[in-house]
């Protein structure tokens, strides 16, 4: 990734020079994609099945339907209410656990939002702050607590998760790319938000 970054930087600098445009490079941050751990994922899935899916009330569903209609008028309301274990495909979420997942075995748990409430949309934010979304995080936290107890009482599962990670990563030392903005955020965070750093 860093080789690609350096190559792009050269291309952009050359293009700027050819067109007479000023060019200034500022590296903010980078992270690896998420590397799921199947052993940890299956433990978490078993715990989810003990906890059960989110326990939305009729009032929760009605509010989500109203929100969905406001976000995507005319589209049918769709909310996945079951439990699924996803171990294929691509996770399109770029989250901070990407780098960690190459060093420590990690599994994720998530809960459904209505499919016609787009991510990074005002309605997503509204639902995230509304009590109607609470059954999802409650389910996830209960499953994670149960998974933690499972791992604490089953060192064989911890060993298996570590072995799977080592098999996937090999003996390579995974280096984490430190954010280029650490010093700015520590000394003058407003400089970042005001775009003057």
């Amino acid at each position: 990734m860093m080789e690609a970054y350096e190559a792009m930087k050269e291309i952009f600098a050359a293009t700027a020079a050819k067109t007479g445009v000023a060019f200034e490079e500022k590296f903010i941050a980078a992270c690896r994609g998420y590397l799921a751990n199947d052993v940890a994922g299956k433990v978490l899935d078993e715990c989810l099945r003990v906890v059960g899916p989110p326990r939305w009330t009729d009032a929760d569903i009605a509010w989500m339907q109203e929100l969905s209609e406001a976000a995507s008028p005319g589209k049918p309301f769709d909310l996945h209410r079951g439990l699924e274990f996803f171990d294929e495909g691509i996770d399109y979420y770029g989250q901070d656990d990407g780098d960690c997942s190459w060093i420590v075995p990690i599994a994720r748990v998530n809960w459904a939002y209505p499919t016609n409430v787009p991510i990074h949309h005002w309605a997503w934010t509204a639902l995230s702050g509304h009590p109607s979304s609470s059954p999802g995080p409650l389910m996830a936290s209960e499953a994670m607590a149960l998974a933690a107890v499972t791992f604490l009482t089953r060192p064989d599962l911890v060993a298996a998760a570590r072995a799977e990670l080592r098999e996937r990563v090999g003996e390579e030392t995974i280096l984490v790319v430190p954010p280029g903005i650490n010093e700015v955020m520590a000394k003058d965070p407003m400089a970042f938000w005001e775009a003057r750093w």
Side-chain angles (χ1 to χ4, degrees):
M1 180 199 68
M2 292 311 294
E3 288 176 19
Y5 177 82
E6 291 300 324
M8 286 187 291
K9 191 166 68 172
E10 289 175 19
I11 291 167
F12 297 149
T15 303
K18 277 186 181 178
T19 58
V21 175
F23 172 76
E24 183 179 355
E25 176 260 342
K26 291 184 179 185
F27 176 75
I28 297 175
C31 64
R32 283 181 169 74
Y34 169 63
L35 178 63
N37 186 278
D38 290 337
V39 171
K42 288 174 183 168
V43 168
L44 192 50
D45 182 59
E46 289 173 15
C47 295
L48 275 169
R49 300 205 183 265
V50 170
V51 170
R55 295 175 289 279
W56 289 296
T57 65
D58 290 342
D60 294 335
I61 299 298
W63 192 86
M64 284 191 267
Q65 287 173 324
E66 186 179 333
L67 181 70
S68 296
E69 178 60 27
S72 301
K75 291 188 180 176
F77 177 76
D78 179 38
L79 176 66
H80 184 80
R81 299 184 200 193
L83 297 173
E84 301 291 334
F85 180 71
F86 299 104
D87 61 352
E88 293 181 14
I90 297 172
D91 183 356
Y92 68 92
Y93 295 106
Q95 296 179 352
D96 299 340
D97 61 358
D99 280 335
C100 296
S101 69
W102 288 78
I103 301 168
V104 177
I106 291 182
R108 287 182 179 167
V109 61
N110 214 333
W111 55 93
Y113 270 32
T115 56
N116 52 331
V117 173
I119 192 168
H120 298 301
H121 186 273
W122 67 264
W124 189 280
T125 304
L127 181 53
S128 297
H130 192 274
S132 293
S133 71
S134 296
L138 179 60
M139 171 209 67
S141 63
E142 289 173 344
M144 289 190 309
L146 187 53
V149 170
T150 302
F151 279 115
L152 286 170
T153 58
R154 297 277 312 273
D156 59 308
L157 292 173
V158 174
R162 285 182 175 163
E164 177 190 332
L165 178 64
R166 187 56 38 221
E167 182 181 325
R168 288 183 170 182
V169 174
E171 297 304 317
E172 180 183 353
T173 300
I174 303 298
L175 300 175
V176 176
V177 180
I181 196 166
N182 276 353
E183 190 173 328
V184 172
M185 293 304 277
K187 293 183 179 176
D188 187 11
M190 288 309 296
F192 173 76
W193 298 111
E194 294 171 358
R196 57 179 169 79
W197 61 282

